[in-house]
Amino acid sequence: MAAMPRNDLLLFLGFTLVVLAMPIWLQPFGAAYPDLLQRFMIFGIFAVGFNILFGLTGYLSFGHAAFFGVGSYAAVWSFKLLSLDVIPALIFAIVVSGVFALVIGFISLRRSGIYFSILTLAFAQMSYNMAYSVLTPITNGETGLQLTLSDPRYLDRAIFEAVPGQPVPTLLGQSLGGFAGFYFCAGFLIIAFFIAQRITGSPFGMMLKGIKTNQTRMHYTGFNTKPYTLAAFVISGMYAGLAGALLAVTDPLAGAERMQWTASGEVVLMTILGGAGTLVGPVIGAWLIKYFENIFSAINDSILRRFFDFLPDGVDSAMVTVASKFVGEGWFLTLGLVFVIIVIFLPGGIMEGVRRIAHLFNRAPKAPGKANPQPQPAE
Amino acid sequence: MSQPNVVLHVADVHKRFGGLHALADIDLQVEEGQTHAIIGPNGAGKSTLLNVIIGKLAPSSGQVVFDGASLTGRKPYQINQLGIARVFQTPEIFAELSVLHNVMIPALAKRDGAFKLNMFRSLESEIGIRQEAEDMLEDVGMLGRRDMAAGSLSRGDKRRMELAMCLIQHPRLLLLDEPTAGMSRHDTNTTIELLKKIKSRGMTKVIIEHDMHVVFSLADKISVLAQGRIIADGTPDQVRGNPKVQEAYLGGAH
């Protein structure tokens, strides 16, 4: 591997620093506790992987939660059958979700555009329904797949006697509770980001962008585009599987709802909100959605009543009634509104907003207020 | 003199769309190193013929033979890998990518083939390909615009860049679909000069063109297409004097 270009290296180091320091700089936001931080990492990985498919090739999958769910189930099965150690679980989950993505991708990629999206959605819903019904022996249906004391764990038992007590996933014997779990997941997010960065900056990544921009030209230029899109699909499926497995590490219970279409839609929202096609955008999108989900869904009527207490009687209860529709269970209403606003005013997501502001600062001293149609630099 | 080497042979090709006989009994031989122009009034079937050659349309009967290999049933990317490149009537480019990357992509296709999973190699380390692309851009006079997004280029520049994208693959056969359509006189002349320059390198070209000025300054051989049939075939002088050609062109004007 050749040395990284300077800008890429700076971006990577900056990203690493921001991630590792999260327990510190998220303190004032009240988000610096391990459970939430782990979710930031996990959904960051999910979004980074999704962006390799959607951001680079332009193929919009509405079924990536299926790979996420498969990753979770595979990890829990590895805990049950092989070992409580997380390393075999993660490898197993990545391989299984990769194979699953290969099959679904091979079929779905026969079509493009909206038909591709519908096919992926259909496959994901099929997986979700099967997990609830015929696949109950594997998925344990509605109850969800759990660890029990009587699990065989052949690998563990071959090496040492079963440890009594509640089975919990470990890394080489170390517990992954609290901040250890966060740093474990953070390590994977950093690796995931690094790989995504390499892919984006490689000839392969440029071909994916070529496919997004003009597939016809790619054909007449001598490229067989199918294996390129399939490779991108499988890679992003493996990312989703890794994310799902990490969720099973922090909470070893896999349920079918992780595969539902709302979960697939969520990663689409994260990517578009942050900025599809950019490297950090999807991660920021994932963090923001998970952060606000955490805040908004925790607010209930009594908190709202205290908040609007300063208003005169009658008005305050009206405000509480209106506002309560947007919090708690109604958090998705807020998310939808934010999404509509972003797509209308900032179609390139938050990263486009950042670029616009940077552009404003760069150009302001030279030609103030002059809308010069500067040839825009390519990505 | 030895027998001229036929690079492209369109043999007895017919193409029907339902009841419409778009191409009938087309027989065309393009010799190595020559510039072969296909002219004809609108709706004569010129674009259909080009699409049959490049593999976008399958002929209803007959076949296209390139360098001894039949092109029938091959996909566009396979046909390109055999050494045929195409310039479109409306430039097909990668609008969101930089001019340099637009030209690097075909160079990579030439070097790496139809698919290569080289995702851990940095694009920055492709110094050879980059140099090749920059030389090519210099050749077409566009090196100064190398970092611009291709979509923001002027129409004439888009065409020149598309030409560079084809030329960097050193194709054995270059198909040009109205390469000067919609260009100013100045841009047209620049393009003619450029195409003459390629010709001196011995590249075989099939060119579809409306502009007679372009055709007569470039072509070694001309085939005239009217209503799906070749009505005349020969050197520019032979075609110019052919009464059938004059009728086909003037007949439509009445």
Side-chain angles (χ1 to χ4, degrees), chain B residues 5-153:
Chain B
N5 187 9
V6 174
V7 178
L8 181 77
H9 186 190
V10 179
D12 299 322
V13 161
H14 290 256
K15 178 71 193 173
R16 293 179 200 87
F17 295 109
L20 177 72
H21 217 135
L23 293 177
D25 207 16
I26 301 284
D27 205 278
L28 199 73
Q29 303 204 359
V30 181
E31 288 163 22
E32 177 130 50
Q34 290 211 317
T35 300
H36 196 125
I38 297 170
I39 62 171
N42 278 328
K46 302 187 298 289
S47 293
T48 310
L49 178 56
L50 208 56
N51 283 334
V52 167
I53 296 174
I54 200 75
K56 192 178 175 186
L57 294 173
S60 307
S61 67
Q63 62 172 348
V64 181
V65 180
F66 174 69
D67 203 21
S70 171
L71 297 186
T72 314
R74 289 185 206 255
K75 299 208 168 79
Y77 79 87
Q78 292 167 323
I79 290 175
N80 173 279
Q81 289 287 349
L82 288 175
I84 301 181
R86 174 176 181 178
V87 172
F88 286 79
Q89 203 169 341
T90 332
E92 292 280 357
I93 56 169
F94 305 113
E96 287 169 30
L97 305 182
S98 72
V99 170
L100 183 67
H101 285 177
N102 266 271
V103 183
M104 280 172 79
I105 287 176
L108 285 163
K110 173 83 176 175
R111 192 195 67 189
D112 295 343
F115 174 68
K116 192 175 183 195
L117 196 63
N118 46 357
M119 56 187 193
F120 286 107
R121 206 185 152 86
S122 167
L123 206 53
E124 307 280 322
S125 65
E126 300 282 6
I127 297 161
I129 294 281
R130 193 192 177 87
Q131 189 59 48
E132 216 181 305
E134 284 179 349
D135 291 347
M136 192 68 241
L137 285 173
E138 174 119 63
D139 258 14
V140 299
M142 289 187 60
L143 191 56
R145 296 180 183 74
R146 113 191 111 178
D147 294 322
M148 277 172 74
S152 62
L153 292 174

Side-chain angles (χ1 to χ4, degrees), chain A residues 40-231:
Chain A
F40 282 174
M41 300 301 107
I42 289 165
F43 285 93
I45 293 170
F46 193 14
V48 167
F50 185 75
N51 185 55
I52 291 175
L53 179 70
F54 175 53
L56 294 185
T57 71
Y59 277 76
L60 176 56
S61 161
F62 259 109
H64 259 51
F67 310 121
F68 190 88
V70 165
S72 283
Y73 281 124
V76 176
W77 271 111
S78 167
F79 293 144
K80 286 169 88 72
L81 289 177
L82 294 172
S83 161
L84 277 175
D85 199 86
V86 294
I87 292 171
L90 293 181
I91 294 171
F92 185 58
I94 292 173
V95 170
V96 171
S97 53
V99 171
F100 193 54
L102 186 69
V103 175
I104 291 186
F106 184 79
I107 302 168
S108 305
L109 285 167
R110 304 184 84 81
R111 292 283 171 271
S112 59
I114 186 76
Y115 302 103
F116 168 81
S117 304
I118 296 290
L119 278 172
T120 51
L121 176 63
F123 275 118
Q125 281 304 90
M126 233 157 72
S127 312
Y128 166 69
N129 280 314
M130 271 158 62
Y132 261 134
S133 53
V134 290
L135 291 181
T136 305
I138 299 176
T139 61
N140 204 18
E142 257 178 271
T143 328
L145 197 59
Q146 291 170 345
L147 300 185
T148 61
L149 282 170
S150 56
D151 288 336
R153 296 202 286 280
Y154 297 110
L155 217 58
D156 280 359
R157 279 172 217 254
I159 301 168
F160 40 75
E161 284 298 301
V163 189
Q166 195 59 33
V168 186
T170 54
L171 172 66
L172 305 171
Q174 300 295 308
S175 150
L176 283 174
F179 280 103
F182 160 69
Y183 283 110
F184 182 69
C185 295
F188 278 100
L189 176 61
I190 290 164
I191 295 169
F193 184 82
F194 177 76
I195 293 175
Q197 203 181 15
R198 295 300 304 212
I199 290 176
T200 308
S202 72
F204 174 75
M206 189 160 74
M207 299 320 156
L208 298 184
K209 289 180 209 159
I211 289 169
K212 179 183 185 180
T213 316
N214 190 341
Q215 182 138 207
T216 309
R217 186 26 107 189
M218 285 301 275
H219 290 144
Y220 288 104
T221 299
F223 285 108
N224 187 3
T225 54
K226 187 103 184 269
Y228 280 100
T229 46
L230 186 58

Side-chain angles (χ1 to χ4, degrees), chain A residues 303-365:
Chain A
I303 296 177
L304 282 178
R305 218 164 284 133
R306 246 178 293 143
F307 183 76
F308 289 115
D309 211 20
F310 65 94
L311 292 168
D313 278 358
V315 180
D316 69 338
S317 59
M319 286 303 286
V320 168
T321 315
V322 172
S324 67
K325 300 285 179 262
F326 289 87
V327 297
E329 294 279 295
W331 134 253
F332 285 105
L333 191 55
T334 317
L335 180 61
L337 275 178
V338 171
F339 188 68
V340 167
I341 291 167
I342 288 277
V343 168
I344 290 175
F345 294 103
L346 273 182
I350 290 167
M351 290 311 287
E352 187 186 322
V354 172
R355 256 198 305 275
R356 278 192 201 172
I357 291 168
H359 192 67
L360 219 63
F361 276 102
N362 283 342
R363 294 197 46 82

